Amino acid sequence: MVIRAGREALRKSGVGPTSQARPVDAAYVLEADRAHHLDTLFFWVFDSGSGTPPTPAEITEHFRRRAPFYAPMSRRFAGVPGHLDHAYWVADDQPVEQRVVHDQRTGLDWPALIDALEQFAATSLDVRATAWRIDVFHGVRNIPGTTAPGTVVVFRGNHSLITGPILDPLSEALFGDGIEPVHFPGLGPVVPRVNRVLAAARGIARAPRATVHYLRTMRAALRDAERARAGAAPGSAPPASLTVTTLNRDPGDRRTLLVLRLGRAGQLPKGFTVTALALTAVSVALERYLTCVAGQCPPDLTAFVTIALGAEAEALGINSIDWTDVALHPGIDSIRGRAAAVLASLVERRDASSLRHLTDTNAIPSFLLPAELAANRRRLRARTGPRMHTMLTSIRIGNDGPWALAGRPMLFGTLCPPLTPEATVTHGLIGLGDDLTLTVLTSPEIMPDPQRYAALLEAAFEEVAAALRPGA
């Protein structure tokens, strides 16, 4: 991974753990104030088998015992007047009984639960009151993978605090049985309270130095970008705009959730990742879906993919991840050939990932951050074409397992990345060990017939996995 420029910027910035929200994190709060909310939705399913499901009292007591392990997550966002300084993470000491809500609709079947989760996905939390909340559904029937009623634990949180990479340590904190403290990447300390007047005064005192640092950072970024363009091979840069499709429009306020239990992928060729497998399946399914509903699939079908940057990026914030565009090559008919092309595109874009955009974003002074975000929204609205057609986050969890809720084992977990004005069909692939679950979050405005896409995606995954098996 090419991150030397980011490392140098990180070294010069001298950043370290802080109770103030980094701009890369605070941006999600400010964006949600003015546009679509950006809350992340996780949920875990627990199987009681032939035993007795846990009672609400047992579950509340379970989370009370685990409270010391997830305590670093107990925080809320506290802004500074006039954005004169960066917001603070303030301790949120709500008791377990307020943070864990037991839904009264006991015995929902799986489709009814999905309806409830769609409502959650369409509703935002006020991160200034509480950054996250747990809802528990009891006795859920017809869960994929089990014949017995199960318990579903839903975790909602603002993207400023809740990201894909935090799913694994969060699962360990909530459902593990270890006694060691859990490390949450990018999470700094909290303060007990904020004196808003003093915080504003400190911000004013720091403003001149912050402005100089920002101007120097931007000049260096422009200079390096120009050098990169001059030294790039012809045709190596991604296109400035992609073909507009039926996926590239406002998703509206409603949400549609699909959950596909994919099981194990089986043996893959050496060097071929589960992420590349999922991207190829998405390529095949979206090509067929768009051809069916719109008459054609664009040749430049593209997915945005999250890229983990490793431990050295943690000091830059909770959202210390990179995003890159990956060509999905729908014009290649051979499944194996398309998979190889998708993998090559993923590797090329992943190797070009950098800490640079994080360090540049974190250089923005607090009083300029709202204006910078507004300018970015204007740039996106002014574009003649989209930057993506879909999005994928892929994470493997469970290395610290097995995990359980009040003694009942975890069956599977999920990640539902939020929609944005650009990402209107998001995919979250979770591997609990080798067992894969894929969620799709979209809206009725984007996919009026979501079950058609679900069937195409499930079939595409099986088709791609079979084509990639050795000897196929």
Side-chain angles (χ1 to χ4, degrees):
M1 191 176 294
V2 181
I3 56 176
R4 282 177 290 183
R7 285 176 180 161
E8 181 65 13
L10 182 60
R11 182 188 64 79
K12 290 181 178 179
S13 67
V15 297
T18 175
S19 57
Q20 287 186 274
R22 300 291 190 192
V24 295
D25 300 324
Y28 286 96
V29 179
L30 301 183
E31 280 291 279
D33 288 343
R34 294 165 176 81
H36 294 285
H37 84 81
L38 298 169
D39 291 358
T40 304
L41 180 72
F42 301 148
F43 67 91
W44 303 267
V45 177
F46 297 88
D47 185 9
S48 297
S50 59
T52 304
T55 65
E58 286 181 284
I59 292 173
T60 300
E61 180 58 28
H62 168 94
F63 286 120
R64 184 178 288 110
R65 290 197 307 270
R66 297 301 299 170
F69 300 95
Y70 63 76
M73 296 287 293
S74 298
R75 56 184 61 206
R76 59 183 179 83
F77 187 91
V80 175
H83 302 286
L84 291 174
D85 202 359
H86 293 299
Y88 285 80
W89 289 115
V90 177
D92 181 9
D93 298 324
Q94 290 187 60
V96 171
E97 290 79 5
Q98 292 182 20
R99 201 176 281 284
V100 178
V101 179
H102 295 276
D103 197 276
Q104 299 302 308
R105 293 169 289 181
T106 300
L108 292 178
D109 65 7
W110 184 251
L113 174 75
I114 296 298
D115 289 343
L117 296 179
E118 290 172 346
Q119 291 295 316
F120 284 165
T123 308
S124 63
L125 291 175
D126 181 3
V127 70
R128 295 171 178 86
T130 183
W132 57 272
R133 152 179 171 155
I134 289 175
D135 291 86
V136 183
F137 290 84
H138 297 268
V140 179
R141 297 176 290 111
N142 302 319
I143 294 173
T146 180
T147 57
T151 306
V152 178
V153 176
V154 184
F155 187 102
R156 290 183 285 157
N158 187 272
H159 210 304
S160 61
L161 180 64
I162 309 301
T163 68
I166 219 162
L167 176 58
D168 189 65
L170 179 63
S171 300
E172 171 64 19
L174 294 175
F175 308 116
D177 60 2
I179 59 174
E180 296 297 322
V182 176
H183 172 65
F184 292 94
L187 208 63
V190 297
V191 293
R193 64 190 64 83
V194 174
N195 184 315
R196 291 161 59 86
V197 174
L198 289 179
R202 284 194 296 267
I204 292 171
R206 287 196 284 253
R209 182 177 179 182
T211 303
V212 170
H213 174 61
Y214 171 66
L215 293 174
R216 289 175 174 170
T217 301
M218 291 303 101
R219 279 198 296 266
L222 291 171
R223 181 189 66 238
D224 293 345
E226 183 58 36
R227 289 175 178 171
R229 279 193 296 270
S236 62
S241 292
L242 303 169
T243 305
V244 177
T245 72
T246 58
L247 308 179
N248 301 116
R249 55 192 179 195
D250 190 331
D253 296 327
R254 296 181 296 167
R255 296 293 178 260
T256 299
L257 176 64
L258 305 170
V259 181
L260 305 181
R261 296 281 290 118
L262 301 176
R264 286 168 169 76
Q267 187 177 358
L268 297 175
K270 184 178 180 180
F272 202 92
T273 65
V274 171
T275 300
L277 167 66
L279 284 170
T280 307
V282 168
S283 170
V284 172
L286 274 183
E287 178 204 357
R288 293 169 179 171
Y289 178 84
L290 290 171
T291 300
C292 183
V293 302
Q296 61 181 349
C297 174
D300 55 2
L301 189 68
T302 297
F304 258 33
V305 179
T306 54
I307 304 292
L309 293 177
E312 62 188 333
E314 290 184 15
L316 295 171
I318 299 163
N319 285 272
S320 54
I321 53 178
D322 198 10
W323 299 78
T324 191
D325 53 312
V326 176
L328 297 183
H329 301 283
I332 301 177
D333 293 332
S334 162
I335 295 295
R336 290 182 69 90
R338 186 183 304 196
V342 168
L343 175 63
S345 178
L346 174 63
V347 170
E348 177 188 5
R349 303 302 294 162
R350 184 183 61 207
D351 287 347
S353 296
S354 171
L355 301 177
R356 184 60 180 271
H357 86 280
L358 297 175
T359 56
D360 289 351
T361 300
N362 279 346
I364 301 174
S366 59
F367 56 88
L368 288 180
L369 185 57
E372 287 282 356
L373 294 174
N376 185 60
R377 288 193 296 273
R378 289 192 296 271
R379 287 191 292 269
L380 290 177
R381 287 195 295 267
R383 293 181 62 89
T384 58
R387 297 187 300 170
M388 72 182 85
H389 298 109
T390 188
M391 171 268 186
L392 171 74
T393 292
S394 175
I395 299 171
R396 191 175 191 271
I397 64 173
N399 293 331
D400 296 320
W403 291 328
L405 173 70
R408 283 70 170 184
M410 183 181 295
L411 183 62
F412 62 91
T414 70
L415 161 65
C416 307
L419 300 192
T420 74
E422 289 190 285
T424 61
V425 182
T426 65
H427 300 78
L429 180 68
I430 295 299
L432 181 57
D434 295 325
D435 186 62
L436 301 176
T437 301
L438 180 65
T439 62
V440 181
L441 188 65
T442 183
S443 78
E445 286 74 13
I446 300 299
M447 281 190 170
D449 187 5
Q451 294 307 320
R452 173 182 294 178
Y453 181 62
L456 290 171
L457 187 55
E458 200 159 26
F461 183 88
E462 294 177 0
E463 187 176 343
V464 174
L468 291 175
R469 290 190 187 108

